[in-house]
C-alpha cells in the first residue's frame, strides 16, 4: 500500500519552543524535503505574519503541487493561504469538549457551522482541503463521527485525526481509525505528538488500520515533546512491515536531511536517537564489533548506508582486537597480529582510566608502538587577530615551515575564519580543504577549554586533527596546524 508523507517540519516544527528560522533557511529545508521525496510539505501558517505569507508563497512557487498552508476556520486565515498560492489548504478546528469549552467558547452546532462555511469558502476559490479535527483523540466519539461524515460528504481531500496532546495509545488509535474507515471514504491522515513517547507507535498503528497520510517532522521537532519522527515512521514502514507500506522517501538522504534540520533549527539530536543519532550505528563492545564487522545484521537492524549514515567503531576498554585491526586498516596502517594486540592492550589501559580513545589518539598510540613518532614540520610563531566590530575581522599569522618563516594576512567572516584563511593563503596549503569543523566546550564558563576537531583534506589524503585552548581562535589554529603536520 502506498503511504504519502506529509511533512510539517516547517510548520509544527517551527513552533518548537526557541526555534525561529529565517526565510532563506525555510527555503533550504523545503528544498531538502523535496529532494528527500516528501509528498506534501506544510510550509507554514500564512496568516501568522506578512513575512510568513511571503515565505510560503515563495516556497509554493518553487515547488509546485506539493505545498500546504495552515488556516483556522476563519476567512482571514483562509485568505492568507489563498494569497500564498498553496496547493492544499489545511483547515482545522477543535472538536473536543475541553477545547470547545475553554478555548473556542463554542457549542458543537457553532463548530459545525464554522466547518461548513470554511470548507465551502475554500472550494469556492478552487482549493483542495485537508481538514483536521483538532484534539480528535479527546473528542466524543459521536461528534467525531458526525463531523467526519459531514466533511466526507463535502468531498475534502483528506481528513486528519490529530492526537494534539499526545495522549493516545496504539490500541486506541487502531480503534479510532478502523471505526472511521467504516463510516467514511475520504483518505485519512494522523498527526501524533510525542508527549508520552508514543508518536511513532501511534502513527504506525494508524497506518496499520488504513491511514495513508501520516504527519511527520524531521528529527521529530515540533511543539512540546515534538511530532512523530519522519525517519522512524518511514523506516518502520519499510523494514518492520517489509515493504507492505511503501513511501516515496529516498531513505539514503535521511541522514543529510536530518543534519541540515539539526543545524538550521539549532536542536541537537541526542546520541541515542534512532537512525540519525551519533550512536545509532556506533559499536564499542568487543563481541558486538566482531559480529558487526563479520555480518552487520548481527547487531544492526539495518545497514547505516540505507539512511545515508556511517558506522562508527568506538574504541574503549571493551574493545576487541578485531575492531582495532579494522580501524587501523581504515587509517591505512598495516600491522601484524602481535602489534594489534599491543595497541589493543594500550587502549584498554586508557579505557580503564576512563578515557575514550578517538581516531587521533589511536594514530598516536600506533605511531608510538611502531616507533614512528613524527617531527612537527610546521610550527606557529605568531598569531594576531583584529576585530573592530562593524568591520570584517582580519588575521596575521607567522608560521615556521621546515625552518623557514612565512607570513600571511587574510580577512574572514569571523575571527576563526580569518585566521584559517590566512594559513590557507600560504602557497603550499592552497589545496587544503576544511571538510568538517566541530567545536566543543570541555567545561562550563567563558574561560572553559575549547576543543576543536577538524577534518582536513588535500585531495590525496584526509586527516582528523584536534586542538585545545582557552581561546577558540587559538584552538582552531592549533587543530589546523596539527592537521597540516599530519598531511605532510
Ligand atoms: Mn501539532
Amino acid at each position: 500500500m502506498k503511504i504519502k508523507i506529509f511533512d510539517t517540519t516547517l510548520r509544527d516544527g517551527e513552533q518548537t519552543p526557541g526555534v525561529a528560522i529565517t526565510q532563506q533557511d525555510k527555503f533550504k529545508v523545503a528544498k531538502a524535503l523535496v529532494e528527500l521525496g516528501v509528498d506534501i510539505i506544510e510550509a507554514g501558517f500564512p496568516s501568522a505574519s506578512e513575512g510568513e505569507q511571503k515565505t510560503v508563497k515563495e516556497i509554493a512557487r518553487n515547488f509546485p503541487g506539493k505545498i500546504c498552508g495552515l488556516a483556522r476556520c476563519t476567512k482571514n486565515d483562509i485568505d492568507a493561504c489563498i494569497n500564498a498560492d498553496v496547493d492544499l489548504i489545511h483547515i482545522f478546528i477543535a472538536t473536543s469538549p475541553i477545547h470547545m469549552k475553554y478555548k473556542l467558547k463554542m457549542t458543537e452546532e457553532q463548530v459545525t457551522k464554522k466547518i461548513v462555511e470554511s470548507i465551502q469558502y475554500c472550494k469556492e476559490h478552487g482549493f483542495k482541503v485537508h481538514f483536521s479535527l483538532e484534539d480528535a483523540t479527546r473528542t466524543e466519539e459521536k461528534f467525531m463521527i458526525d463531523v467526519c461524515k459531514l466533511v466526507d460528504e463535502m468531498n475534502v481531500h483528506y481528513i486528519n485525526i490529530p492526537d494534539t496532546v499526545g495522549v493516545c495509545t496504539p490500541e486506541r488509535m487502531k480503534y479510532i481509525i478502523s471505526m472511521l474507515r467504516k463510516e467514511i471514504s475520504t483518505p485519512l491522515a494522523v498527526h501524533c505528538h510525542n508527549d508520552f513517547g508514543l508518536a511513532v507507535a501511534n502513527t504506525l498503528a494508524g497506518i496499520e488500520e488504513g491511514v495513508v497520510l501520516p504527519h511527520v517532522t524531521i528529527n521529530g521537532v515540533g511543539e512540546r515533546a515534538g511530532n512523530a519522527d519522519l525517519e522512524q515512521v518511514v523506516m518502520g514502514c519499510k523494514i518492520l512491515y517489509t515493504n507492505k507500506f511503501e513511501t516515496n522517501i529516498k531513505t539514503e538522504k535521511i541522514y543529510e536531511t536530518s543534519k541540515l534540520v539539526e543545524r538550521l533549527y539549532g536542536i541537537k539530536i541526542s546520541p541515542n536517537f534512532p537512525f540519525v543519532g551519533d550512536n545509532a550505528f556506533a559499536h564499542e563492545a568487543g563481541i558486538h564489533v566482531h559480529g558487526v564487522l563479520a555480518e552487520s545484521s548481527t547487531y544492526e537492524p539495518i545497514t547505516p548506508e540505507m539512511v545515508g549514515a556511517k558506522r562508527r567503531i568506538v574504541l574503549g576498554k571493551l574493545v576487541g582486537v578485531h575492531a582495532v585491526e579494522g580501524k587501523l586498516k581504515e587509517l591505512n596502517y598495516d600491522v601484524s597480529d602481535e602489534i594489534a594486540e599491543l595497541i589493543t592492550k594500550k587502549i584498554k589501559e586508557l579505557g580503564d582510566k576512563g578515557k575514550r580513545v578517538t581516531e587521533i589518539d589511536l594514530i598516536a598510540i600506533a605511531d608510538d608502538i611502531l616507533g614512528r613518532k613524527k617531527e612537527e614540520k610546521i610550527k606557529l610563531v605568531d598569531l594576531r587577530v583584529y576585530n573592530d566590530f562593524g568591520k570584517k575581522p582580519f588575521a596575521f599569522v607567522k608560521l615556521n615551515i621546515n625552518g623557514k618563516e612565512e607570513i600571511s594576512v587574510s580577512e574572514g567572516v569571523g575571527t576563526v575564519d580569518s585566521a584559517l584563511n590566512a594559513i590557507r593563503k600560504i602557497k603550499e596549503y592552497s589545496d587544503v580543504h576544511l571538510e568538517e569543523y566541530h567545536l566543543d566546550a570541555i567545561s562550563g564558563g567563558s574561560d572553559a577549554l575549547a576543543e576543536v576537531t577538524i577534518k582536513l583534506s588535500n585531495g590525496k589524503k584526509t586527516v582528523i586533527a584536534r586542538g585545545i585552548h582557552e581561546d577558540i581562535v587559538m584552538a582552531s589554529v592549533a587543530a589546523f596546524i596539527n592537521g597540516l603536520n599530519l598531511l605532510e
Side-chain angles (χ1 to χ4, degrees):
M1 196 166 64
K2 194 78 180 186
I3 303 295
K4 285 189 174 179
I5 296 296
F6 181 108
D7 183 284
T8 183
T9 305
L10 290 172
R11 201 276 299 169
D12 209 317
E14 213 203 349
Q15 288 167 229
T16 306
V19 168
I21 59 173
T22 63
Q23 177 177 355
Q24 268 176 329
D25 287 349
K26 277 194 101 162
F27 195 83
K28 273 187 208 160
V29 173
K31 186 163 175 283
L33 292 172
V34 170
E35 283 164 4
L36 180 65
V38 162
D39 299 278
I40 301 174
I41 295 170
E42 186 164 48
F45 189 18
S47 78
S49 70
E50 230 168 81
E52 177 81 348
Q53 189 177 315
K54 244 178 73 190
T55 308
V56 175
K57 188 170 185 159
E58 184 65 11
I59 293 172
R61 196 172 64 80
N62 278 276
F63 307 107
K66 285 185 179 295
I67 305 305
C68 176
L70 182 70
R72 286 167 294 193
C73 282
T74 66
K75 190 173 169 298
N76 181 54
D77 278 21
I78 297 170
D79 281 339
C81 284
I82 292 171
N83 292 335
D85 291 332
V86 296
D87 304 290
L88 180 70
I89 301 180
H90 175 189
I91 58 174
F92 74 97
I93 193 162
T95 50
S96 67
I98 303 172
H99 274 240
M100 287 192 293
K101 185 176 172 195
Y102 295 104
K103 187 182 78 172
L104 298 176
K105 297 186 171 51
M106 284 164 81
T107 63
E108 287 188 357
E109 291 70 35
Q110 288 169 315
V111 166
T112 307
K113 192 164 166 270
K114 275 271 178 202
I115 294 171
V116 173
E117 284 171 7
S118 305
I119 295 176
Q120 270 170 353
Y121 190 70
C122 291
K123 297 220 148 220
E124 277 162 21
H125 287 81
F127 280 81
K128 291 185 194 170
V129 176
H130 170 295
F131 181 78
S132 282
L133 297 82
E134 192 187 12
D135 207 17
T137 53
R138 292 193 297 179
T139 295
E140 279 171 5
E141 197 170 308
K142 185 178 173 306
F143 190 48
M144 180 170 9
I145 295 172
D146 288 347
V147 170
C148 285
K149 277 183 159 172
L150 173 74
V151 296
D152 181 56
E153 279 161 20
M154 293 187 81
N155 287 321
V156 297
H157 271 71
Y158 299 99
I159 297 175
N160 178 34
I161 304 300
D163 183 24
T164 303
V165 289
V167 289
C168 204
T169 61
E171 202 180 9
R172 176 152 167 72
M173 184 58 89
K174 286 179 88 156
Y175 169 77
I176 293 172
I177 301 300
S178 63
M179 174 195 69
L180 291 175
R181 288 267 288 164
K182 288 183 203 121
E183 305 284 345
I184 57 168
S185 59
T186 305
L188 286 171
V190 284
H191 177 104
C192 299
H193 275 277
N194 205 32
D195 297 72
F196 283 81
L198 290 172
V200 171
N202 289 335
T203 303
L204 292 176
I207 289 171
E208 280 186 26
E209 293 301 323
V211 163
V212 290
L213 190 75
H215 285 204
V216 292
T217 60
I218 300 289
N219 301 339
V221 292
E223 290 195 277
R224 304 186 312 280
N227 289 69
D229 171 70
L230 179 142
E231 303 88 295
Q232 293 161 38
V233 169
V234 167
M235 294 315 287
C237 284
K238 194 176 168 82
I239 306 297
L240 303 179
Y241 303 92
T242 44
N243 283 324
K244 182 178 170 197
F245 306 113
E246 282 172 32
T247 71
N248 289 324
I249 299 298
K250 296 179 190 75
T251 62
E252 67 281 3
K253 286 187 174 289
I254 280 179
Y255 184 80
E256 61 176 87
T257 314
S258 160
K259 285 286 148 192
L260 177 78
V261 171
E262 179 182 39
R263 189 162 57 79
L264 297 182
Y265 280 55
I267 303 169
K268 194 101 182 89
I269 301 167
S270 70
N272 58 341
F273 205 74
F275 307 120
V276 292
D278 276 354
N279 291 349
F281 298 98
H283 307 273
E284 177 166 332
I287 301 165
H288 281 209
V289 169
H290 190 190
V292 162
L293 293 178
E295 167 54 48
S296 71
S297 64
T298 50
Y299 288 104
E300 284 174 353
I302 65 161
T303 63
E305 291 79 18
M306 271 182 100
V307 290
K310 282 202 181 106
R311 182 174 300 121
R312 212 159 52 84
I313 305 293
V314 178
L315 306 176
K317 65 178 171 188
L318 299 171
V319 77
V321 71
H322 293 283
V324 174
E325 271 176 337
K327 194 77 216 173
L328 286 168
K329 225 176 234 150
E330 243 178 67
L331 296 164
N332 294 322
Y333 281 79
D334 198 7
V335 298
S336 65
D337 288 353
E338 197 189 336
I339 298 283
E341 288 280 1
L342 280 173
I343 295 172
T344 309
K345 198 169 154 245
K346 180 79 189 165
I347 294 168
K348 282 175 179 287
E349 276 172 28
L350 289 165
D352 279 335
K353 288 178 191 149
K355 192 164 162 40
R356 195 172 63 92
V357 174
T358 62
E359 272 187 13
I360 311 156
D361 300 325
L362 178 63
I363 291 169
I365 295 167
D367 283 344
D368 192 34
I369 289 176
L370 292 167
R372 294 203 301 197
K373 209 134 188 105
K374 262 192 180 168
E375 194 203 329
E376 287 185 356
K377 290 185 176 162
I378 307 151
K379 293 186 195 90
L380 180 69
V381 181
D382 197 1
L383 168 71
R384 292 173 213 198
V385 180
Y386 298 89
N387 194 8
D388 190 351
F389 287 97
K391 290 185 190 132
K392 263 192 172 179
F394 69 93
F396 161 94
V397 290
K398 192 194 274 184
L399 300 184
N400 182 313
I401 304 168
N402 281 328
K404 197 173 146 254
E405 282 192 352
E406 288 269 6
I407 289 171
S408 177
V409 179
S410 178
E411 282 189 330
V413 293
T415 47
V416 170
D417 190 48
S418 62
L420 299 188
N421 282 346
I423 299 173
R424 267 180 301 193
K425 264 178 116 178
I426 297 169
K427 205 169 80 252
E428 288 97 314
Y429 308 126
S430 59
D431 58 349
V432 172
H433 179 67
L434 181 65
E435 293 193 342
E436 277 176 37
Y437 177 97
H438 296 282
L439 171 68
D440 290 299
I442 294 178
S443 50
S446 65
D447 60 349
L449 275 183
E451 181 182 68
V452 170
T453 310
I454 57 165
K455 198 183 216 181
L456 284 186
S457 169
N458 60 4
K460 287 172 253 141
K461 200 172 164 192
T462 303
V463 296
I464 294 169
R466 193 170 52 184
I468 296 174
H469 200 273
E470 291 89 343
D471 181 89
I472 58 166
V473 182
M474 274 306 296
S476 306
V477 168
F480 204 90
I481 291 175
N482 287 339
L484 292 178
N485 276 309
L486 291 170
L487 279 177
E488 282 288 303

